[in-house]
C-alpha cells in the first residue's frame, strides 16, 4: 500500500516536470488560470509552482499562501476562498 502511494506521488511529480528538457509539452492556454500554492508545501515544493506558471505563460497567475503546506485550502480556508472568489468574480468596473 505504501509503495503504491509513493509511486502515484512520483508519477504526479514527473508530470509537473514536463518541459524541463527544452521540450515544452504544455501548450500555452487561452483561458486565465489561477495557481494557488502553499508556501511550505512538501508534496509539491514551491519551485514547482513557479515552473508550472512559467510553462503556462501569461495566462497563469500564481498566489502563494504563506505559512501553509499542501492543504492550504483547509489550513487557511478564508484566505484560499478569497483568492478563488476574486479570481472567479473580479471586481466589476464602475460605469
Amino acid at each position: 500500500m505504501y509503495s503504491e502511494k509513493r509511486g502515484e506521488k512520483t508519477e504526479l511529480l514527473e508530470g509537473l516536470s514536463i518541459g524541463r528538457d527544452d521540450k515544452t509539452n504544455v501548450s500555452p492556454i487561452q483561458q486565465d488560470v489561477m495557481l494557488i500554492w502553499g508556501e511550505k508545501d512538501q508534496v509539491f515544493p514551491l519551485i514547482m509552482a513557479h515552473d508550472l506558471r512559467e510553462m503556462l505563460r501569461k495566462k497563469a497567475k500564481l498566489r502563494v499562501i504563506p505559512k501553509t503546506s499542501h492543504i492550504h485550502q483547509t489550513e487557511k480556508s478564508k484566505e484560499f476562498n478569497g483568492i478563488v472568489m476574486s479570481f472567479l468574480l473580479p471586481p466589476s468596473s464602475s460605469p
Side-chain angles (χ1 to χ4, degrees), residues 14-30:
E14 287 171 357
L16 282 178
S17 65
I18 293 172
R20 289 206 177 164
D21 298 329
D22 294 330
K23 289 183 179 178
T24 304
N25 295 324
V26 178
S27 300
I29 55 175
Q30 301 305 309

Side-chain angles (χ1 to χ4, degrees), residues 13-56:
L13 290 171
E14 287 171 357
L16 282 178
S17 65
I18 293 172
R20 289 206 177 164
D21 298 329
D22 294 330
K23 289 183 179 178
T24 304
N25 295 324
V26 178
S27 300
I29 55 175
Q30 301 305 309
Q31 53 279 70
D32 292 332
V33 174
M34 174 61 70
L35 302 170
I36 305 173
W37 225 269
E39 175 188 37
K40 299 183 183 291
D41 191 332
Q42 292 184 8
V43 176
F44 297 108
L46 187 54
I47 188 68
M48 293 182 133
H50 292 286
D51 290 347
L52 182 58
R53 193 244 163 266
E54 187 177 311
M55 281 189 278
L56 294 173

Side-chain angles (χ1 to χ4, degrees), residues 8 20 29-32 34 38 41 50 52 57-58 64 67 73 77 84-85 87 93-94:
E8 289 173 5
R20 289 206 177 164
I29 55 175
Q30 301 305 309
Q31 53 279 70
D32 292 332
M34 174 61 70
D41 191 332
H50 292 286
L52 182 58
R57 311 241 166 66
K58 294 179 183 179
V64 178
K67 300 178 184 174
Q73 65 273 26
S77 58
V84 171
M85 292 303 290
F87 176 70
S93 57
S94 301

Side-chain angles (χ1 to χ4, degrees), residues 3-16:
S3 62
E4 183 178 311
K5 285 185 179 185
R6 184 165 177 78
E8 289 173 5
K9 181 178 172 185
T10 302
E11 258 183 58
L12 288 170
L13 290 171
E14 287 171 357
L16 282 178

